[in-house]
Amino acid sequence: MAVPNCDEQYPCTNCTKHAIQCSYVERDISTPAETPATRSESLASSYGPSPLNAESYPVTPAGSSGAVGDTKPKSESRSGLLQFLSDSPGEIPLLNTDDWASDLELMHHYCTVTCNTLTIREDSRHVWRVILPVEGYSNRYLMHGLLALAALHRAYLFPTQKERNIKASAYHQAAGLKEFRELISSPIDPSNWQPVFCFASMIMVYVCASPVRLGEDRWPAPISNMVELFSVVQGLQTLMEPWLHSLRRTRLAPLVNCVWLESEMLIASPAGMQQSLLPPDIQVRISQLHRFVDDYPFPHIQPQSHQNLSASDGLPRPPDHLADYKRSLKFFENSTRQIELAGPHVEVGMVLMWAYSLSKHFRDDMEACHPAALVLLSHWCVLLHIVDDSWFIKGTSLQLLEEIELKLNPGFKEWLIWPKRWVLGK
């Protein structure tokens, strides 16, 4: 039985039917989008934008942005995951093959090859190689997820068997997602949160490998595809939020120990930078980005009294653009610190953790190709390029930066000089 899609009403039809607490705390009220400006002034230099009129910033529909801070409304964060799950095929494709022999082949490939490509650290490889298959013995959806990843990896490695493996991957992913959708329609509890986390980790890899599962060499629409990935990452994090504090006390701990930093570890070290894969002038560039964001002509937010009035009336608060972007830039710095500490052993998760900081409004800005959002995204491409050897993310930084260059307002092209030097080598 497929779980009905959330209609984003409060309480939503799905939650009412299943007698569960609805995560939508406010009704979504959209405002009309303003017409994007057609002109933009050129920058005085690559170190900061020249003064622009506030009208040159196209306003994204406010939707239900909510207050900006370290936490975001659950409805906002979870919506991307719900959309991904609702877009996934409800019907499980048929396989014209000897299923048990094919599954054994895929499991062998997963345990001997694929598991070692998903991480660099040996303790994390142990989790992917041993712990996840053991969990899969008693959680069928998780076993389907493992086989889907193995088939996807084989599709990447063996072009002559691509069609067969893509079909096998689609079958197992659809079968796993069907059970997963039904499972998360009810609250996650102590008995099932760990396999749910495992499957959530696989979903992130599966979304990253979109070109492989589509049988293509490129992302269809890199910016939009990346926004979808960011939304899924945030949705999965929101789903697992009540259990994340317990994760480091389980056998799954190595999956997060190499990605999440304690606050006292976030101070950059000149000595560490010498051993890292980051550009040597990354800290200088971050300082320039701070000035860029500080000087950018974001729309002014309403006075505090108006914000309180809006909140008391149940209306969405206007987005605080500057706070949104400053928070995203802060997490960009956190990612660089994690990469710095990793030396030559950079995990994909260290780069993707930036997604946790991005508000829905910021993601909407990226998809709408607003200049400030694309400038920050282009600099994140430099971090993404560091993990370009990973088969499930290979080539993404290059494709993303190329589309950013096509879509970015000409007045901001100078901000691409630095990212292009480190991603394209020019």
Side-chain angles (χ1 to χ4, degrees):
M1 178 187 69
V3 175
N5 295 339
C6 181
D7 55 11
E8 300 189 6
Q9 300 299 313
Y10 181 74
C12 70
T13 304
N14 190 20
C15 292
T16 301
K17 179 178 179 180
H18 290 82
I20 60 177
Q21 183 177 1
C22 186
S23 62
Y24 281 84
V25 295
E26 292 182 337
R27 295 181 183 273
D28 287 342
I29 302 177
S30 299
T31 57
E34 295 183 10
T35 304
T38 57
R39 294 184 299 110
S40 176
E41 299 179 29
S42 60
L43 299 177
S45 71
S46 61
Y47 298 98
S50 57
L52 299 173
N53 295 325
E55 288 76 10
S56 67
Y57 181 85
V59 178
T60 299
S64 57
S65 299
V68 175
D70 288 341
T71 59
K72 293 170 286 301
K74 293 185 184 302
S75 60
E76 171 188 305
S77 298
R78 203 177 179 195
S79 61
L81 173 61
L82 295 174
Q83 184 63 47
F84 172 78
L85 294 178
S86 65
D87 289 344
S88 302
E91 297 296 326
I92 301 175
L94 297 177
L95 277 183
N96 297 320
T97 183
D98 191 351
D99 288 342
W100 73 268
S102 175
D103 290 351
L104 284 178
E105 179 184 25
L106 292 177
M107 195 62 188
H108 178 264
H109 182 84
Y110 175 83
C111 290
T112 58
V113 184
T114 304
C115 63
N116 294 325
T117 68
L118 302 175
T119 181
I120 296 174
R121 290 173 48 142
E122 189 54 40
D123 57 349
S124 298
R125 285 179 172 175
H126 173 75
V127 175
W128 284 102
R129 182 190 306 118
V130 178
I131 306 302
L132 268 66
V134 169
E135 288 284 350
Y137 298 156
S138 53
N139 296 278
R140 188 170 58 179
Y141 69 94
L142 186 55
M143 185 59 71
H144 278 302
L146 293 172
L147 299 180
L149 278 188
L152 203 60
H153 189 214
R154 287 179 63 84
Y156 171 80
L157 291 176
F158 308 117
T160 59
Q161 303 174 31
K162 179 185 292 187
E163 184 176 351
R164 170 198 170 198
N165 283 302
I166 288 177
K167 188 174 182 179
S169 179
Y171 164 78
H172 285 293
Q173 187 69 6
L177 283 174
K178 181 177 184 296
E179 293 190 31
F180 187 70
R181 279 193 296 259
E182 296 171 358
L183 179 63
I184 67 172
S185 66
S186 301
I188 307 302
D189 58 50
S191 69
N192 61 21
W193 74 265
Q194 292 190 51
V196 167
F197 175 81
C198 295
F199 191 79
S201 301
M202 294 182 206
I203 288 179
M204 285 190 278
V205 178
Y206 196 78
V207 177
C208 284
S210 292
V212 181
R213 60 189 172 96
L214 294 174
E216 304 291 342
D217 295 327
R218 299 180 59 86
W219 288 66
I223 294 175
S224 295
N225 297 145
M226 189 55 63
V227 171
E228 179 192 36
L229 174 60
F230 290 158
S231 299
V232 170
V233 170
Q234 278 202 343
L236 293 170
Q237 184 208 25
T238 301
L239 180 69
M240 299 306 305
E241 189 174 7
W243 309 100
L244 293 179
H245 69 282
S246 302
L247 201 53
R248 281 183 165 151
R249 297 194 296 271
T250 72
R251 295 180 299 171
L252 304 176
L255 297 183
V256 296
N257 286 343
C258 62
V259 175
W260 293 342
L261 285 176
E262 303 296 338
S263 57
E264 63 269 16
M265 301 174 67
L266 295 177
I267 302 174
S269 165
M273 283 295 299
Q274 296 177 7
Q275 307 297 324
S276 81
L277 300 179
L278 291 165
D281 57 344
I282 184 71
Q283 293 303 323
V284 174
R285 193 60 178 179
I286 288 174
S287 297
Q288 294 165 359
L289 287 174
H290 274 294
R291 292 201 296 271
F292 169 77
V293 170
D294 287 338
D295 295 342
Y296 197 88
F298 296 111
H300 293 294
I301 62 173
Q302 296 179 8
Q304 187 66 34
S305 59
H306 290 180
Q307 290 188 47
N308 293 337
L309 181 62
S310 296
S312 63
D313 288 346
L315 299 175
R317 295 176 180 175
D320 186 342
H321 301 268
L322 181 59
D324 254 3
Y325 280 73
K326 293 294 282 186
R327 185 173 188 275
S328 300
L329 192 49
K330 170 191 170 185
F331 272 74
F332 179 87
E333 289 187 74
N334 291 352
S335 292
T336 63
R337 173 58 174 160
Q338 177 68 81
I339 294 170
E340 171 194 325
L341 290 173
H345 307 295
V346 180
E347 301 279 357
V348 174
M350 299 174 185
V351 178
L352 290 183
M353 69 176 292
W354 188 52
Y356 299 154
S357 71
L358 307 181
S359 68
K360 183 179 185 302
H361 176 264
F362 187 90
R363 299 195 307 269
D364 289 343
D365 275 5
M366 285 193 286
E367 190 147 29
C369 297
H370 292 175
L374 292 190
V375 166
L376 293 190
L377 184 60
S378 71
H379 285 71
W380 181 75
C381 287
V382 175
L383 307 189
L384 186 61
H385 189 66
I386 293 174
V387 293
D388 193 63
D389 288 341
S390 298
W391 66 271
F392 53 89
I393 204 78
K394 193 172 184 64
T396 304
S397 59
L398 174 62
Q399 297 165 31
L400 187 56
L401 189 55
E402 287 176 342
E403 189 180 28
I404 290 172
E405 187 171 20
L406 288 175
K407 298 293 182 66
L408 184 62
N409 188 296
F412 294 83
K413 289 292 180 70
E414 289 186 65
W415 282 97
L416 297 185
I417 294 175
W418 188 86
K420 286 172 62 177
R421 182 165 76 245
W422 293 105
V423 174
L424 306 178
K426 61 180 181 181

